[in-house]
Amino acid sequence: MANGRKPFDIDALWALDRVGAPSLSPDGAQAVASVVRYDMEKNQARSSLHLLSTLGGEPRELTQCGDKDGAPQWSPQGDQIAFIARREQQGEKDETPQLYLIPPDGGEARRISQLATGVECFKWFPDGQRIAFVSWVWPGLKGAAAQAKAWAAHKDRKATGQVTEEAQYRFWDHFIPMGRVAHLHVLDLKTGKTRDLFEGTDYELARDDPGHDGFDISPDGRRIVFAFDPAAEQRLDHCQALAEIEVRSGAVQLLLQDKDWDFTAPVYSHAGHHLAFLASHQALKSTAPKQLAVLDTQGHWAVLSEDWDHEVEAPLRWDEDDLGLMFCAEDRGRRHLWRFDVKTCAAFVIFRGGHAASFALEAGTLLVNHDALDHPSRLSVLEAEGDEEGEGARWQRIEQFNDKQLAGQRFGKQEELWFEGAKGEPVQMWLLYPPGFDPRRKQPLLHLIHGGPHTAFGDSWHWRWNHQVFAAQGYVVASVNYHGSSGFGYQFLDSITGDWGPLEMQDIEAATDLLLKRAWADRRRLFASGGSYGGYMVAWMNGHLKAGRYQAYVCHAGCFDWQAMMADDVYGGHARELGAWYWDDAKQISKQSPASYAGAMKTPTLVVHGALDYRVPDAQGLAYYNTLKARGVPARLVWFQDENHWILKPRNSRLWYGEFFAWLERHDPGRKSR
């Protein structure tokens, strides 16, 4: 302990507040955001809404009666805040999430929806008298009463089997509701009546994640644009189209469909003359980036960001003058908030990350939820813009949610560096040093290898793989953004397509060699860990590197055998990513599978997996563990029956970190000699 500060540990991590995406009042004077707080002893979470002034000051807890109040949105008139919750009110307990309203000046929230199938997400109509929302319903039924009857029968069914003929039937950690699809609904606040806009049609929203980025309401409130899969059989790898529905008549007009392009995240301009959306040219490659595109009222559309080598991320937000669009996009290990000028097609950084997680804009007030390697989510308001790179901008924080907790913690210093990786190309690496790091002493090195593969580690706060927690244990933490990582241009991202494994390992090994030249690096104490594709990489390294290069590996939810990975929820894209279907070219698939190199695996490995993981089914982790045991390689298995691709429960997270560190210490000659 130095200066009364303690090293950051797992309990300190879970004691922090987690601030959600904010919503601004129409005049920009106030913001509302959900704040999640965990109780390690009770092993549960509670979320509530907090009201904040954009001028700063002490936030006020707006809701206290619910346990899971979230997704707040301010009404267009500013007199109400809508949110989603599951509560007990007037003796009636919500079985599914419902919509609630609460005045911003306080009072009791009131339930405004009573839909048996629940509410997934929502948006206000401009008149403030209606709300559009998404609910999973039985498409062949008509009316709320029929849906409620079907829901009651579904609840009372004694059989537990899932039956389907669909190509897409589960996603991440849940089965897509059997026999149900995602429909758009409209709730009238005066009458309390709801109407299913898609009832009696074949239209439905995306089955993977039918969130509020999948639709938008026109400025006059007469139409709703939405993205949908036009194919008879719904699949994740299909290209989506855009359509528009008249709210009053229910008439649907197809706006944009092209078998070669995927269209998503539509949003109307304020004047209603243009529609911005994301377009990905899937006919070129499955890795084709999402680009900014605009459609006019004459049916003409164009990609605006074609010459800008970045991937645009939803949501999109028109400037108040409709001359530009705002969005977040990655850039070399950081995620900035950008403004894209629709006339000049030039992009400018407004908020420079760190990591810009979300933003809100109202009446000239711009609010950003952001984090970085050295702090969790914060809310800040723009006071003065900077240059084209965002340098010199002035931002003012409007909350201090975690300041007291973090004041007693010691964090390590970070370093961004570049080195020559595979193909002689520059590769980025982030280093985080332990608190009180002494370069004169020998230090252990721990690789944290990111998943994806088309994601990146960078200057951001990670709740599950927290770099500060790892560094506080005395490790120099290295995060390499290997070939295939996002945020470094399309060519770099696509460079591994059809040949996963080799280039990424060359980058990680080049980073290790570079760091071993530093005086503090102890070559006897090298470790590598990763989750998902990062888990795949440590299994790949185990089959390709000499025993003893790394003292131990940690493989969390890692891919082991690509043929068996046909059991995952995104199997439709395997051939385009790996280069073939296994029945067409078994050798092409086999050469990219760590299982094919099991005969060379000798390094001790901790294998971790969750039974509810449908992205990398737990049979992958079990097969890897069983293989190591059969070969006599030291291995340990941590298997969670109630976790998915991530470890999300507080007590399970504590166990996860405890097993992680105990495994490294067990195979660390430096710690054994102490």
Side-chain angles (χ1 to χ4, degrees):
M1 187 178 296
N3 299 324
R5 295 190 173 190
K6 302 180 295 183
F8 194 61
D9 62 15
I10 181 61
D11 290 320
L13 175 68
W14 282 90
L16 296 177
D17 294 343
R18 306 189 183 194
V19 184
S23 174
L24 280 169
S25 60
D27 61 3
Q30 297 183 90
V32 62
S34 65
V35 177
V36 181
R37 291 174 173 142
Y38 285 88
D39 188 316
M40 179 65 76
E41 296 309 310
K42 294 181 179 179
N43 199 34
Q44 62 187 26
R46 178 183 178 273
S47 61
S48 58
L49 306 186
H50 288 248
L51 202 65
L52 306 99
S53 167
T54 54
L55 298 177
E58 192 69 22
R60 176 167 62 87
E61 190 171 14
L62 187 61
T63 63
Q64 299 177 341
C65 297
D67 291 329
K68 296 182 179 180
D69 300 343
Q73 289 187 36
W74 222 292
S75 70
Q77 287 68 38
D79 59 336
Q80 298 285 343
I81 294 172
F83 62 98
I84 297 176
R86 294 178 66 169
R87 292 178 160 213
E88 184 172 356
Q89 196 170 80
Q90 296 178 341
E92 188 174 342
K93 190 172 184 180
D94 296 329
E95 295 181 344
T96 54
Q98 301 295 331
L99 280 170
Y100 283 79
L101 283 184
I102 189 169
D105 56 0
E108 184 57 44
R110 63 183 179 91
R111 183 191 295 120
I112 57 171
S113 72
Q114 288 183 303
L115 204 68
T117 50
V119 175
E120 185 85 6
C121 60
F122 72 96
K123 284 186 177 180
W124 283 94
F125 274 78
D127 61 12
Q129 300 301 312
R130 294 167 294 167
I131 290 177
F133 66 90
V134 177
S135 185
W136 288 86
V137 299
W138 283 269
L141 301 180
K142 291 187 177 182
Q147 295 291 341
K149 184 177 180 180
W151 172 256
H154 173 75
K155 282 194 311 170
D156 293 340
R157 67 191 290 260
K158 305 304 180 184
T160 59
Q162 295 283 337
V163 182
T164 188
E165 293 185 16
E166 300 287 348
Q168 183 185 340
Y169 56 93
R170 58 183 189 172
F171 187 66
W172 280 118
D173 62 354
H174 62 276
F175 276 78
I176 292 172
M178 191 168 61
R180 294 156 64 193
V181 296
H183 277 192
L184 270 174
H185 294 69
V186 174
L187 168 65
D188 188 302
L189 297 183
K190 287 185 177 180
T191 65
K193 293 181 179 180
T194 63
R195 182 161 63 96
D196 182 347
L197 293 181
F198 291 169
E199 188 177 272
T201 76
D202 292 329
Y203 289 104
E204 61 175 276
L205 300 181
R207 294 188 182 182
D208 54 349
D209 186 17
H212 61 265
D213 293 332
F215 69 96
D216 194 38
I217 304 170
S218 65
D220 59 11
R222 295 178 179 178
R223 295 156 289 136
I224 298 180
V225 62
F226 60 94
F228 73 104
D229 182 353
E233 183 178 62
Q234 306 287 291
R235 296 171 62 108
L236 274 177
D237 54 319
H238 281 171
C239 288
Q240 294 191 71
L242 299 180
E244 192 175 56
I245 186 168
E246 291 282 347
V247 175
R248 176 173 292 182
S249 68
V252 177
Q253 178 187 2
L254 181 65
L255 297 180
L256 206 55
Q257 181 179 349
D258 189 316
K259 63 180 178 60
D260 294 337
W261 288 82
D262 182 42
F263 303 129
T264 56
V267 57
Y268 290 100
S269 64
H270 293 92
H273 298 152
H274 295 87
L275 188 74
F277 57 96
L278 298 181
S280 174
H281 200 175
Q282 288 293 294
L284 297 179
K285 273 192 172 181
S286 63
T287 54
K290 293 179 179 179
Q291 300 173 306
L292 179 63
V294 170
L295 171 73
D296 64 22
T297 55
Q298 304 303 312
H300 304 125
W301 73 282
V303 173
L304 302 186
S305 63
E306 186 174 11
D307 297 327
W308 191 59
D309 198 8
H310 295 70
E311 180 161 55
V312 180
E313 300 180 40
L316 306 174
R317 175 70 158 82
W318 286 90
D319 265 351
E320 292 172 322
D321 57 9
D322 282 350
L323 296 179
L325 284 132
M326 298 172 62
F327 53 79
C328 293
E330 289 181 290
D331 182 50
R332 294 168 295 175
R334 296 177 173 87
R335 190 173 189 254
H336 309 316
L337 174 61
W338 305 76
R339 181 186 184 274
F340 194 93
D341 190 295
V342 297
K343 289 187 175 180
T344 65
C345 292
F348 307 93
V349 176
I350 301 175
F351 178 86
R352 185 171 185 82
H355 179 260
S358 60
F359 66 96
L361 175 66
E362 294 292 344
T365 299
L366 177 61
L367 177 63
V368 178
N369 180 315
H370 61 99
D371 57 84
L373 264 173
D374 60 359
H375 67 80
S377 297
R378 293 175 175 174
L379 297 177
S380 297
V381 169
L382 176 65
E383 291 191 330
E385 292 190 19
D387 60 20
E388 295 181 359
E389 297 297 322
E391 299 288 355
R394 293 204 315 272
W395 293 84
Q396 177 64 46
R397 278 186 68 191
I398 64 170
E399 48 67 43
Q400 293 83 36
F401 279 116
N402 290 303
D403 288 7
K404 289 183 180 179
Q405 296 96 312
L406 294 177
Q409 304 296 327
R410 295 177 65 201
F411 281 176
K413 295 181 179 180
Q414 65 193 57
E415 178 185 358
E416 174 193 357
L417 59 89
W418 292 78
F419 62 94
E420 184 178 300
K423 303 167 65 174
E425 296 176 344
V427 173
Q428 184 194 60
M429 172 169 57
W430 292 82
L431 291 178
L432 185 64
Y433 296 96
F437 173 76
D438 185 351
R440 297 168 299 180
R441 296 179 54 189
K442 288 294 184 180
Q443 309 280 350
L445 173 66
L446 171 63
H447 278 288
L448 294 187
I449 307 174
H450 71 71
H454 306 311
T455 60
F457 268 148
D459 190 10
S460 61
W461 185 267
H462 205 294
W463 289 108
R464 297 182 303 276
W465 291 70
N466 188 270
H467 294 65
Q468 297 290 350
V469 173
F470 290 112
Q473 292 291 316
Y475 300 99
V476 176
V477 178
S479 298
V480 177
N481 284 323
Y482 50 75
H483 277 76
S485 299
S486 57
F488 301 89
Y490 177 68
Q491 184 177 353
F492 188 84
L493 178 144
D494 188 57
S495 62
I496 66 172
T497 300
D499 193 19
W500 284 5
L503 295 182
E504 305 92 295
M505 187 177 73
Q506 290 179 46
D507 292 338
I508 295 166
E509 282 297 276
T512 300
D513 289 339
L514 175 67
L515 294 175
L516 284 176
K517 295 178 182 178
R518 297 195 175 186
W520 54 260
D522 190 340
R523 67 178 55 253
R524 302 174 308 122
R525 305 172 68 194
L526 304 181
F527 305 92
S529 64
S532 194
Y533 195 85
Y536 163 81
M537 281 310 305
V538 295
W540 180 270
M541 292 161 67
N542 205 354
H544 287 81
L545 300 178
K546 290 183 179 180
R549 169 66 161 176
Y550 295 91
Q551 277 59 60
Y553 294 125
V554 178
C555 174
H556 172 93
C559 311
F560 182 63
D561 179 353
W562 283 115
Q563 180 171 328
M565 275 288 287
M566 280 297 290
D568 73 19
D569 63 338
V570 290
Y571 66 90
H574 285 196
R576 300 186 73 186
E577 289 278 14
L578 299 171
W581 292 112
Y582 74 85
W583 56 84
D584 290 330
D585 190 346
K587 289 184 179 180
Q588 171 69 7
I589 305 306
S590 178
K591 76 171 188 177
Q592 298 174 79
S593 293
S596 301
Y597 310 95
M601 294 177 176
K602 297 180 180 178
T603 302
T605 301
L606 174 67
V607 179
V608 186
H609 228 111
L612 301 180
D613 188 351
Y614 302 153
R615 182 56 48 93
V616 181
D618 67 336
Q620 294 285 308
L622 298 179
Y624 185 27
Y625 173 75
N626 292 352
T627 297
L628 296 174
K629 297 302 286 187
R631 284 188 41 74
V633 179
R636 185 176 177 86
L637 174 68
V638 182
W639 180 83
F640 295 93
Q641 66 178 0
D642 57 348
E643 297 283 7
N644 55 27
H645 199 56
W646 311 287
I647 308 305
L648 302 177
K649 295 179 174 64
R651 289 293 187 93
N652 285 345
S653 177
R654 178 191 275 173
L655 173 64
W656 185 89
Y657 275 99
E659 289 286 342
F660 193 113
F661 294 136
W663 183 255
L664 299 192
E665 185 167 355
R666 179 173 165 183
H667 298 281
D668 185 344
R671 295 186 185 248
K672 289 180 180 178
S673 62
R674 290 180 184 177

